Amino acid sequence: MHIKRTILLLVLLALIPASCSPVNQSNTRDWWREAVFYEIFIRSFNDSNGDGIGDLNGVTQKLDYLQDLGVTGIWFMPIHPSPSYHGYDVTDYYAVNPEYGTLDDLKRFLDEAHKRDIRVIIDLVLNHTSSQHPWFLEANSNPESKYRDFYVWANDSGGNGWHAGQNGYYFGFFCDCMPDLNYRNPEVAVDMLKVTDYWLNDIGVDGFRVDAAKHLIEEGNVRENTPATHEWLKSFYTAYKAQDPTAYTVGEVFGAGSSVVKSYTGNQLDQVFNFEMESGFINSAKGGANSGIISAIKFALQDMPDFNYATFLTNHDQDRTMSFLNGDIGKAKIAATLLLTSPGTPFIYYGEEIGMQGRKPDEDIRLPMQWSAEVNAGFSTVKPWRAPAADHQVVNVRMQEDDPTSLLNHYRTLIKLRMEYPPLRSGDITLLDTGNPAIFAAIRSSGKSWILILVNLQGTTISDYQLGLAEDILPGGTITPSLLFGSGNVSAVRISNGGFDGYKPLEELPPYGSYILLMEK
């Protein structure tokens, strides 16, 4: 740790009030606003050394695959040493889990990822440590230790979340194996900011996914989204932006809709996962009605009109998308279309792009990546840490790579279009009347570029629909949109007062049909 940087952290925490304006970022670019991220559980991605456990070198071997997929960002679930398989109880914030490799392996991976213009963020578990972390071991055994006040203690049990220690009771919201850190103690913040400085400036990661962000500081019986948590994150934001103005943080505020996302965004975390949007995508895809996605977008337009949030279909804490959709590939395709044509920064959970299935327990939604139909799914040459899903012989990367109709190539094409056309990445969105609840339609716009999104949410052909645009957003005259995605003969539309009424771009929309149309004369 460089002495000057350590002094800077101490000064920031001691002298900068939480309400102070953040570091001037006028010379930096919010690169995450135009990124597409891919979430990786290293243990299950690719085993390069034949021990049955995925590793960093294994991910490096698959960077060409990720580049071909089109993603521009990677989120690693916890990479630190931990007594658990998942890693969310950290024993050393400055090291790499030896089952995953070494720091040199990580540095090589970062070099190779950055050569491909792929940014990398890692999980930052701020809320708690492992009960086997040296800080807690000393705090638990010695009430006079300076680390005693790194955790939250009481003489008597406070009920739920309180656990018996050697000298009193400690608070651990998630379990006794994860004692909560005490962020009312400034020394804890100093030490954790040393951690962020190390990974940003010594190792070279591009940012963090902040785990359990809403649980940092409890106030009485209120255990989430407290004012104290928000105030602490304001100082945290100022400090990590001083360490690296281009660093990115995305917060896990489980269950957050747009209004809660707004309360954390701008001066605390760069983005927060929008669970309201996730529900909209997945419920409209499963139920075949546009009400879910329309409702989510309307809330976003109301509370987060700049759409500065992260989006996803499912993640490592939820049943996988394909299982939620009961194995229906048509529904999986429209879910992908909704995700990758909507505002926000999309995150794709590994294996989602090929339709991997998995239902809880957690280990079964984090199974080995299905690369091929070979024994062990092409993940490893030996028995993996957990057996791959039984369907890997028919659901795998190799079988889908060269199939133009596959889910994998559906994702590839959508990501490519998103990166090629600015309205799909960072444009505004205007919802259209469709005259049919099974049809979703919207226009993404950026400058003088407009793109029409049209999706049949049901498994039957639909001809009974008409699109209507009441807002004044399009240039006057007649436009014959060109197909960027989908096939068919597209009809022209007459624009009047910036909008239109009674428009049918295609006479029939096939089951689960997705269309992306460029609205240019």
Side-chain angles (χ1 to χ4, degrees):
M1 175 61 57
H2 299 296
I3 293 176
K4 289 183 179 178
R5 292 211 302 265
T6 304
I7 293 173
L8 173 61
L9 298 179
L10 292 166
V11 170
L12 282 169
L13 284 169
L15 300 181
I16 298 179
S19 59
C20 180
S21 298
V23 175
N24 187 330
Q25 298 182 68
S26 59
N27 294 323
T28 65
R29 175 173 168 263
D30 295 343
W31 54 267
W32 49 89
R33 298 295 302 271
E34 299 192 352
V36 175
F37 275 91
Y38 190 84
E39 178 189 358
I40 293 178
F41 183 39
I42 295 175
R43 180 176 297 274
S44 285
F45 199 63
N46 187 42
D47 172 19
S48 71
N49 62 357
D51 64 358
I53 295 173
D55 46 58
L56 287 160
N57 289 334
V59 185
T60 303
Q61 290 175 354
K62 297 298 185 179
L63 275 171
D64 287 344
Y65 167 79
L66 296 173
Q67 187 175 25
D68 288 343
L69 180 60
V71 299
T72 57
I74 290 171
W75 155 28
F76 277 156
M77 288 169 61
I79 65 172
H80 306 306
S82 168
S84 68
Y85 85 94
H86 52 72
Y88 281 101
D89 45 345
V90 176
T91 57
D92 185 352
Y93 286 100
Y94 292 93
V96 168
N97 186 332
E99 292 183 322
Y100 294 168
T102 66
L103 275 174
D104 284 339
D105 293 334
L106 177 61
K107 289 176 181 178
R108 279 193 296 272
F109 166 79
L110 291 170
D111 286 343
E112 291 300 318
H114 290 156
K115 285 178 185 176
R116 294 166 171 81
D117 294 322
I118 297 175
R119 311 261 190 160
V120 181
I121 65 173
I122 62 173
D123 241 303
L124 178 64
V125 186
L126 281 178
N127 181 69
H128 52 265
T129 69
S130 167
S131 58
Q132 298 180 36
H133 192 288
W135 294 348
F136 185 76
L137 293 176
E138 186 172 329
N140 192 27
S141 62
N142 178 12
E144 303 304 316
S145 166
K146 78 164 192 170
Y147 292 111
R148 181 75 172 184
D149 198 34
F150 271 47
Y151 299 88
V152 182
W153 295 89
N155 292 326
D156 302 302
S157 173
N160 231 2
W162 290 91
H163 312 282
Q166 294 179 26
N167 296 279
Y169 292 82
Y170 64 92
F171 185 73
F173 179 84
F174 292 101
C175 71
D176 60 351
C177 61
M178 298 178 180
D180 277 34
L181 287 164
N182 176 20
Y183 282 101
R184 297 186 187 279
N185 177 0
E187 290 187 49
V188 177
V190 169
D191 271 23
M192 295 310 291
L193 283 165
K194 289 177 182 177
V195 170
T196 60
D197 189 54
Y198 173 76
W199 290 101
L200 291 172
N201 290 304
D202 292 355
I203 304 302
V205 304
D206 300 292
F208 307 97
R209 179 263 191 182
V210 180
D211 180 62
K214 67 178 181 179
H215 293 293
L216 295 183
I217 303 177
E218 293 74 27
E219 294 184 352
N221 292 325
V222 181
R223 296 182 172 184
E224 59 183 53
N225 302 321
T226 63
T229 292
H230 285 289
E231 289 304 306
W232 187 88
L233 282 170
K234 290 175 184 176
S235 292
F236 172 71
Y237 182 90
T238 302
Y240 83 76
K241 288 298 184 186
Q243 294 168 355
D244 181 356
T246 67
Y248 166 59
T249 57
V250 56
E252 182 220 14
V253 179
F254 193 87
S258 292
S259 62
V260 175
V261 169
K262 179 181 180 180
S263 72
Y264 280 93
T265 307
N267 61 354
Q268 298 166 61
L269 297 162
D270 291 302
Q271 289 186 330
V272 170
F273 287 102
N274 191 326
F275 283 78
E276 206 163 58
M277 289 296 294
E278 179 263 345
S279 294
F281 299 143
I282 206 84
N283 288 333
S284 281
K286 183 174 185 178
N290 60 24
S291 54
I293 182 62
I294 287 176
S295 175
I297 290 173
K298 283 183 175 178
F299 279 120
L301 287 166
Q302 172 184 302
D303 296 314
M304 291 290 295
D306 63 350
F307 312 115
N308 186 28
Y309 49 67
T311 58
F312 62 107
L313 295 179
T314 53
N315 62 27
H316 64 277
D317 287 324
Q318 300 166 303
D319 289 349
R320 280 186 171 273
T321 298
M322 188 60 97
S323 292
F324 187 83
L325 299 176
N326 298 317
D328 192 317
I329 192 170
K331 292 181 178 182
K333 285 184 175 181
I334 61 172
T337 300
L338 295 176
L339 171 71
L340 292 166
T341 61
S342 291
T345 299
F347 280 69
I348 300 165
Y349 187 38
Y350 81 95
E352 197 161 67
E353 75 279 13
I354 59 171
M356 282 178 59
Q357 297 198 46
R359 297 184 185 274
K360 284 179 176 284
D362 286 348
E363 291 87 343
D364 287 344
I365 54 179
R366 305 167 185 174
L367 294 178
M369 179 69 175
Q370 295 168 200
W371 295 106
S372 71
E374 298 171 3
V375 176
N376 304 321
F379 162 78
S380 178
T381 56
V382 301
K383 182 180 179 181
W385 74 275
R386 198 167 180 89
D391 70 355
H392 75 269
Q393 293 182 340
V394 292
V395 177
N396 59 69
V397 171
R398 187 172 297 168
M399 291 187 70
Q400 294 188 30
E401 279 183 314
D402 299 323
D403 178 0
T405 67
S406 69
L407 182 59
L408 174 58
N409 280 307
H410 187 84
Y411 269 88
R412 283 175 171 171
T413 303
L414 287 170
I415 295 171
K416 180 180 178 181
L417 290 172
R418 186 179 179 95
M419 302 311 296
E420 186 175 351
Y421 291 93
L424 293 175
R425 295 196 307 277
S426 54
D428 292 329
I429 188 167
T430 304
L431 297 170
L432 304 186
D433 293 328
T434 66
N436 189 323
I439 303 297
F440 171 75
I443 289 181
R444 301 295 310 277
S445 55
S446 177
K448 294 184 178 181
S449 183
W450 302 268
I451 290 179
L452 171 63
I453 311 300
L454 182 61
V455 182
N456 178 358
L457 300 167
Q458 292 193 350
T460 57
T461 299
I462 292 178
S463 58
D464 181 18
Y465 78 100
Q466 289 186 336
L467 306 185
L469 170 63
E471 297 185 34
D472 181 1
I473 63 172
L474 293 172
T478 299
I479 295 177
T480 301
S482 55
L483 274 171
L484 302 177
F485 190 92
S487 60
N489 297 316
V490 181
S491 300
V493 58
R494 177 70 180 173
I495 309 300
S496 177
N497 297 319
F500 52 77
D501 191 37
Y503 176 46
K504 291 183 68 173
L506 297 107
E507 280 302 311
E508 291 186 338
L509 302 179
Y512 303 126
S514 294
Y515 293 88
I516 302 176
L517 303 98
L518 184 63
M519 303 285 285
E520 288 186 352
K521 293 183 179 181

